[in-house]
C-alpha cells in the first residue's frame, strides 16, 4: 500500500480523470484495499552503487510510473537514502520507499548492485558474493518470483551465481553486460556520420572484461556498416571503424553512470511498458556442455530474456567469441573449485 498518496479515489470520475491524464497505455494499475488503485510496476533496489542512485534521481525528475523499494539491512537508513526518499515526494507518479521488510512476493524486478559500505567493512573480501546470497535467499524465501537484473562489474560471475542461488528460470535473470558498450558504439557511429544513434544497430559481445565489437552485425538504417565502408565513395571508412574500436571502451567508462541509467530506463520500458528491445545482455547459455553466462544479443520483453536461435558472426569474430567463452568457463570452474558458488 502507498505510504504517500496525492489523490484519494472515492468516485469513478477521479479514476477516469487519472486515466485521461496518464493514458491507459502508459500506466498499469491493480486494485488496492484502501485507495482503490495502485501501480504494480514494483522494483526493489538492492545496492548503493552511484549508478542506482542516479537511476532513482532520474526517475524522480522524469516522474516515472514506477514504484521503487530500496532494501535496507539496517532499520535506520543513511542520510543519503533519506534524502532521496524525501525528494521523491515531489513526484506525482514515481514512488520511492526505504524498507528493511519488503513484500518480496509483490515485486516484479530486483536490481542487484553493490552492498552498503558498512556491510563491506563487516564481511571483507567476500562481501559482494555474500550480499547477493543474502538478498536472493531472503527474496526466494518470501515468495519472490520476478526478474533479477545484475548491475555490477564482472556480471557474468554474478548472473551465474544468482541463477544458482535463486533457482529462477534462466530467462528471469540477466545482467547489463555489454549493453552500455553497444550504446556507446552506436553513439560514436552516429557522431561520425552526423545522423544520431536511433537508426544504428551495433553489438558489443563477450563480457565486460573481455568484449569486442561484432562489426559484421552492425547496421545503419538496415544497411550493413561493413557494406558502407566497402563503397568507394563512402565518407565513412575503415579508419573510422578502427578509431571507434580503439576508443569505445574508454568513452563508455567515462560516462558509465549516465550510460547505465539509460540502459536501465530501456530495460524498464521493455519489462513494464510493452517496448521489447534487442540488445546484448548477460544471460545463461550452454557451452561445451556446461552452463556459463555471457553477453550477447537477446530480446528483452515482459516475458524476460528470449535467446536468439543463432548468433551470426564472421569467421574471425566467431573464433574470438569462442575464446571468450572458454575463458568464462575457466573462471566459473575456478569459482566452483574454491567453493564461491555454494
Amino acid at each position: 500500500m502507498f505510504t504517500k498518496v496525492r489523490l484519494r479515489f472515492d468516485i469513478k470520475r477521479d479514476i477516469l480523470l487519472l486515466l485521461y491524464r496518464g493514458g491507459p497505455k502508459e500506466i498499469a494499475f491493480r486494485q488496492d484495499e484502501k485507495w482503490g488503485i495502485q501501480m504494480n510496476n514494483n522494483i526493489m533496489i538492492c545496492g548503493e552503487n552511484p549508478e542506482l542512485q542516479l537511476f532513482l534521481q532520474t526517475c524522480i525528475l522524469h516522474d516515472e510510473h514506477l514504484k521503487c523499494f530500496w532494501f535496507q539491512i539496517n532499520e535506520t537508513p543513511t542520510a543519503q537514502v533519506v534524502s532521496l526518499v524525501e525528494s521523491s515526494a515531489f513526484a506525482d507518479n514515481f514512488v520511492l520507499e526505504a524498507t528493511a521488510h519488503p513484500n518480496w512476493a509483490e515485486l516484479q524486478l530486483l536490481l542487484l548492485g553493490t552492498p552498503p559500505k558498512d556491510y563491506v567493512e563487516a564481511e571483507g573480501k567476500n562481501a559482494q558474493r555474500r550480499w547477493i546470497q543474502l538478498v536472493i535467499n531472503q527474496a526466494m524465501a518470501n515468495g519472490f518470483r520476478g526478474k533479477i537484473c545484475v548491475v555490477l562489474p564482472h556480471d557474468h560471475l554474478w548472473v551465474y551465481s544468482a541463477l544458482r542461488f535463486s533457482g529462477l528460470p534462466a530467462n528471469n535473470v540477466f545482467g547489463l553486460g555489454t549493453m552500455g558498450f553497444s550504446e556507446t558504439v552506436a553513439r560514436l557511429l552516429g557522431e561520425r556520420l552526423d545522423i544520431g544513434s536511433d537508426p544504428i544497430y551495433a553489438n558489443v559481445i563477450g563480457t565486460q572484461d573481455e568484449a569486442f565489437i561484432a562489426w559484421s552485425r552492425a547496421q545503419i538504417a538496415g544497411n550493413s556498416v561493413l557494406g558502407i565502408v566497402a563503397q568507394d565513395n563512402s565518407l565513412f571508412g575503415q579508419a573510422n571503424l578502427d578509431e571507434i574500436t580503439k576508443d569505445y571502451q574508454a568513452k563508455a567508462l567515462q560516462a558509465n553512470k549516465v550510460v547505465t541509467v539509460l540502459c536501465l530506463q530501456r530495460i524498464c520500458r521493455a519489462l513494464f511498458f510493452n517496448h521489447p528491445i534487442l540488445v546484448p545482455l548477460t544471460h545463461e547459455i550452454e557451452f561445451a556442455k556446461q552452463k556459463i553466462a555471457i553477453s550477447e544479443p537477446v530480446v528483452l520483453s515482459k516475458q524476460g530474456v528470449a535467446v536468439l536461435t543463432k548468433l551470426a558472426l564472421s569467421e574471425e569474430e566467431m573464433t574470438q567469441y569462442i575464446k571468450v567463452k572458454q575463458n568464462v568457463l575457466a573462471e566459473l570452474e575456478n569459482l566452483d573449485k574454491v567453493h564461491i558458488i555454494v
Side-chain angles (χ1 to χ4, degrees):
M1 296 175 64
F2 281 127
T3 57
K4 57 174 189 175
V5 179
R6 289 162 185 76
L7 297 175
R8 303 308 195 250
F9 302 103
D10 297 319
I11 59 176
K12 291 182 179 179
R13 179 184 61 80
D14 294 323
I15 298 176
L16 291 173
L17 177 61
L18 179 61
L19 289 173
Y20 172 76
R21 293 172 62 188
K25 293 183 179 179
E26 296 179 11
I27 187 167
F29 297 105
R30 63 179 169 77
Q31 291 298 312
D32 178 78
E33 291 181 308
K34 187 172 183 180
W35 302 116
I37 60 175
Q38 179 178 347
M39 287 183 292
N40 67 357
N41 301 330
N42 296 333
I43 301 175
M44 173 60 73
I45 307 294
C46 295
E48 296 188 359
N49 329 22
E51 298 86 354
L52 290 178
Q53 295 184 42
L54 183 58
F55 170 70
L56 291 173
Q57 292 171 345
T58 304
C59 288
I60 294 169
L61 292 171
H62 289 183
D63 198 12
E64 300 286 359
H65 291 284
L66 298 170
K67 183 170 186 179
C68 285
F69 300 88
W70 200 348
F71 181 55
Q72 307 294 305
I73 55 174
N74 299 314
E75 293 291 341
T76 305
T78 65
Q80 197 168 26
V81 172
V82 171
S83 175
L84 270 175
V85 172
E86 290 299 317
S87 297
S88 70
F90 290 93
D92 291 323
N93 300 296
F94 179 70
V95 179
L96 175 62
E97 298 177 12
T99 177
H101 306 287
N103 186 341
W104 295 97
E106 290 192 354
L107 298 171
Q108 281 75 51
L109 176 64
L110 192 159
L111 296 179
L112 195 54
T114 57
K117 289 182 180 179
D118 55 352
Y119 187 88
V120 174
E121 292 170 357
E123 296 294 335
K125 65 178 182 179
N126 288 325
Q128 185 65 73
R129 176 189 64 83
R130 289 173 178 166
W131 172 251
I132 291 173
Q133 192 167 16
L134 168 71
V135 170
I136 292 178
N137 284 351
Q138 283 202 28
M140 301 312 297
N142 290 280
F144 176 74
R145 294 298 180 267
K147 297 172 180 64
I148 297 175
C149 175
V150 177
V151 189
L152 288 166
H154 323 297
D155 68 350
H156 60 290
L157 303 178
W158 307 123
V159 168
Y160 177 86
S161 302
L163 278 164
R164 276 136 193 84
F165 290 149
S166 69
L168 287 169
N171 64 303
N172 277 20
V173 181
F174 57 91
L176 293 185
T178 54
M179 183 179 176
F181 286 154
S182 299
E183 297 289 323
T184 303
V185 169
R187 179 180 64 82
L188 293 174
L189 278 169
E191 286 179 355
R192 279 148 180 81
L193 293 167
D194 197 24
I195 61 172
S197 60
D198 286 346
I200 297 173
Y201 174 73
N203 287 150
V204 177
I205 61 176
T207 68
Q208 295 169 345
D209 308 310
E210 194 174 1
F212 66 93
I213 305 172
W215 284 119
S216 67
R217 295 179 54 84
Q219 296 181 354
I220 300 174
N223 299 297
S224 167
V225 168
L226 295 182
I228 294 173
V229 168
Q231 296 175 11
D232 293 335
N233 62 345
S234 176
L235 298 177
F236 186 82
Q238 185 62 46
N240 299 105
L241 294 190
D242 293 341
E243 183 182 2
I244 291 173
T245 301
K246 178 183 176 182
D247 295 342
Y248 80 93
Q249 291 197 21
K251 296 284 187 182
L253 292 175
Q254 287 169 359
N256 178 59
K257 287 190 287 187
V258 171
V259 173
T260 299
V261 170
L262 292 173
C263 292
L264 290 174
Q265 288 178 316
R266 293 190 67 193
I267 285 170
C268 286
R269 286 196 293 270
L271 293 177
F272 299 128
F273 302 113
N274 200 29
H275 293 286
I277 52 176
L278 176 60
V279 291
L281 295 171
T282 298
H283 64 286
E284 185 180 72
I285 66 168
E286 187 170 306
F287 174 70
K289 299 182 179 180
Q290 301 290 325
K291 300 291 186 182
I292 66 170
I294 202 162
S295 185
E296 63 181 22
V298 297
V299 176
L300 182 69
S301 67
K302 288 184 176 182
Q303 286 70 46
V305 169
V307 181
L308 302 180
T309 54
K310 184 178 181 181
L311 183 61
L313 298 172
S314 69
E315 184 176 346
E316 181 180 350
E317 290 168 348
M318 184 57 74
T319 300
Q320 188 172 358
Y321 194 36
I322 290 173
K323 180 63 177 175
V324 175
K325 290 179 180 179
Q326 290 171 338
N327 292 341
V328 170
L329 180 59
E331 277 189 273
L332 296 177
E333 287 176 343
N334 186 58
L335 288 181
D336 289 335
K337 287 178 182 177
V338 296
H339 305 293
I340 291 182
I341 306 299
V342 295

